[in-house]
Amino acid sequence: MSNTVLRPKTRDEWMKLRESGIGSSEVGTILGLNPYETPYQLWRRKVGIDPPKEQNFAMKAGHYLENAVSLFYRDETGKEIIKASAGDWIIKSNECPWMQVSPDRTFWIPGMPKRKENKGILECKTTQMEVNGDDVPQYWFAQLQYQLGVAEYSQGALAWLTMGREFGYRDFVFDREFFDFMAEEVARFWVD
C-alpha cells in the first residue's frame, strides 16, 4: 500500500479533507468499539443526514494538549519527536483513497537512520478516565493500528494525560493481521 501526504493550508481545509474518507478516530466506531458513537451515527454524518460533529471544549483542549503529551512522552522515553509532524496534515492511501489518517505526532525510531520508514506514530490522548497501560481502550488501539497501516510504519505509541495529573504511555508494533481486518471493515462501510 502506498500513500500520499497532504498538507492543507488551513485547519478548515484540513477538516473538509477529513470528510472525504474514514479517519483513524472513526475506525473504532466502525468496529463497534467506540462507546461514544455507533456505526449508524457515523454513517448518518458521512452521508450528510446529520451535520459534522461540533468541536466541544474537551476536543479543543485535547488538540491543544497534544504538544504537552508529546513532550511528556519524549521526556519519559528519550525518543525524538519530529517537530514538523505537529499540525494538521493527512496521510491518504493511494489504493484505498477513503483510508486516511492524521497522526498527532511522529517520532524517530532510536538507533535507526532518519528516513521515512524509520518513523513511528505517537497518538496523544487527554482523558478524565483511569487508563491501565496493560489494557488500553480498544478504540485507541484500533486508531493507532489504522494509522500505522495507512502510513506504512512499523512502530507507534499511545500516550495519555489523565485528569491533568498522571501521564502514561504504551509502545506498540504494527499488527498486520489486525490492520487487514480493519481495512476490510472500513472498505465494507465506505463502499457498501
Side-chain angles (χ1 to χ4, degrees):
M1 179 180 291
S2 64
N3 58 52
T4 301
V5 173
L6 305 172
R7 296 203 178 265
K9 292 181 177 68
T10 66
R11 185 159 179 82
D12 287 341
E13 186 181 334
W14 174 74
M15 295 292 284
K16 191 72 176 159
L17 280 170
R18 291 183 66 191
E19 294 174 10
S20 66
I22 299 297
S24 61
S25 61
E26 298 165 328
V27 73
T29 300
I30 291 170
L31 299 177
L33 302 173
N34 185 348
Y36 305 107
E37 184 177 48
T38 67
Y40 178 66
Q41 289 170 318
L42 175 62
W43 174 80
R44 287 180 59 92
R45 271 194 303 110
K46 288 296 182 181
V47 298
I49 295 170
D50 294 336
K53 278 186 182 176
E54 290 286 326
Q55 186 178 44
N56 61 32
F57 179 81
M59 292 164 71
K60 191 173 188 178
H63 180 68
Y64 288 162
L65 290 170
E66 286 172 4
N67 195 53
V69 174
S70 73
L71 293 174
F72 279 119
Y73 181 75
R74 179 202 65 193
D75 291 350
E76 286 286 319
T77 66
K79 292 179 181 170
E80 181 184 348
I81 304 299
I82 300 169
K83 290 181 183 179
S85 68
D88 300 325
W89 57 294
I90 291 176
I91 303 171
K92 190 176 197 90
S93 166
N94 292 334
E95 287 81 24
C96 305
W98 57 84
M99 294 175 65
Q100 56 189 24
V101 297
S102 294
D104 292 335
R105 298 291 186 279
T106 57
F107 59 85
W108 293 113
I109 297 172
M112 303 292 284
K114 291 183 177 180
R115 296 194 301 250
K116 177 187 181 265
E117 64 271 14
N118 296 329
K119 292 180 183 178
I121 289 177
L122 177 62
E123 179 59 32
C124 303
K125 300 291 185 186
T126 52
T127 183
Q128 298 299 307
M129 67 182 177
E130 293 290 327
V131 179
N132 176 349
D134 294 326
D135 188 23
V136 297
Q138 292 177 334
Y139 62 102
W140 288 10
F141 177 77
Q143 182 178 14
L144 178 62
Q145 290 295 323
Y146 188 71
Q147 290 176 357
L148 292 172
V150 173
E152 300 180 301
Y153 293 164
S154 64
Q155 297 181 31
L158 292 168
W160 57 89
L161 185 61
T162 302
M163 293 183 258
R165 296 184 188 150
E166 293 179 29
F167 173 75
Y169 74 92
R170 174 122 183 246
D171 293 320
F172 292 93
V173 295
F174 176 56
D175 184 330
R176 167 60 66 186
E177 187 177 338
F178 184 57
F179 175 74
D180 289 344
F181 163 74
M182 286 191 297
E184 287 177 22
E185 294 300 308
V186 167
R188 186 179 352 269
F189 181 89
W190 187 259
V191 177
D192 295 341

